[in-house]
Amino acid sequence: MGNVICKPLGLIDHRNLKSDEEVLLTIDYEIFSDETTLLIKKCSHLVISTDFYSKMKNKRRYSQSEYPLTALPWIIDRIENGFFKNPDAGGFSDFERNTTAEFEGETIGINAMAHCYTENLPGLNIWNGNRKSYISNITPHEWNIPNDMLKDGLLDKLKIIADKYS
């Protein structure tokens, strides 16, 4: 991870989008039925924005992670041809659990997870090492996705978005 921390794009208000904020997709996480997660294009970034109820703050809050839109084709390729392919078909070996690349000066990585949100639910953690969390004020920005969500249509929807903006 580079030492440069990028300037935050600013939290997106789902109920009051600005002219440079375009909702691309709504993602439904079954285990978080009280949350709304939107994929939003803001300038040249893909933003994963979540509206959730914070029990600690006792109110609704927003959280988001930000990635250069130019990283999306690479993310899709690494998921499809690395993590989801068997090693004999050119995919990652059982020992390759992560991959990284740099886009527009931002280090983007993907880690395999055995327990994504719940025990024994495999998934992927997509992170941006050059952006601080809006909540904890530490790096990285993170987006966790269970593998079954990707295989059940989310990956195809991400491909459509990548094709539109590449």
Side-chain angles (χ1 to χ4, degrees):
M1 276 186 252
N3 293 337
V4 176
I5 302 300
C6 298
K7 181 179 177 218
L9 297 177
L11 282 173
I12 295 172
D13 180 348
H14 292 190
R15 291 164 202 83
N16 189 22
L17 295 174
K18 296 179 181 153
S19 61
D20 65 344
E21 299 167 346
E22 176 189 355
V23 175
L24 304 172
L25 183 63
T26 299
I27 300 177
D28 294 316
Y29 284 88
E30 287 181 25
I31 60 175
F32 301 117
S33 58
D34 66 327
E35 293 184 359
T36 302
T37 300
L38 302 176
L39 263 65
I40 297 172
K41 179 187 177 292
K42 181 176 176 97
C43 303
S44 61
H45 281 77
L46 178 67
V47 177
I48 293 77
S49 177
T50 303
D51 173 348
F52 68 101
Y53 184 79
S54 170
K55 292 178 182 172
M56 291 181 70
K57 297 282 185 181
N58 201 27
K59 66 177 183 176
R60 294 212 67 82
R61 294 185 74 185
Y62 291 106
S63 174
Q64 70 188 41
S65 52
E66 304 158 359
Y67 306 88
L69 203 48
T70 54
L72 187 56
W74 174 82
I75 291 169
I76 292 165
D77 177 70
R78 297 295 69 213
I79 291 170
E80 199 168 45
N81 296 308
F83 291 102
F84 284 3
K85 263 192 184 169
N86 290 327
D88 58 348
F92 293 153
S93 77
D94 291 339
F95 302 104
E96 290 176 279
R97 307 308 297 154
N98 61 65
T99 184
T100 60
E102 190 171 301
F103 299 88
E104 299 176 31
E106 299 183 50
T107 302
I108 307 303
I110 308 171
N111 299 339
M113 304 171 67
H115 310 288
C116 182
Y117 294 118
T118 187
E119 192 173 350
N120 299 320
L121 178 65
L124 298 172
N125 167 259
I126 302 170
W127 53 268
N128 183 337
N130 296 90
R131 293 186 176 271
K132 287 185 177 182
S133 165
Y134 285 89
I135 293 176
S136 67
N137 201 35
I138 59 172
T139 60
H141 275 193
E142 296 182 288
W143 179 25
N144 296 330
I145 313 169
N147 287 348
D148 60 351
M149 284 179 61
L150 288 161
K151 291 175 181 176
D152 290 344
L154 179 55
L155 190 58
D156 290 333
K157 291 175 183 173
L158 292 174
K159 287 178 188 179
I160 292 168
I161 293 168
D163 287 345
K164 182 176 179 180
Y165 293 104
S166 56

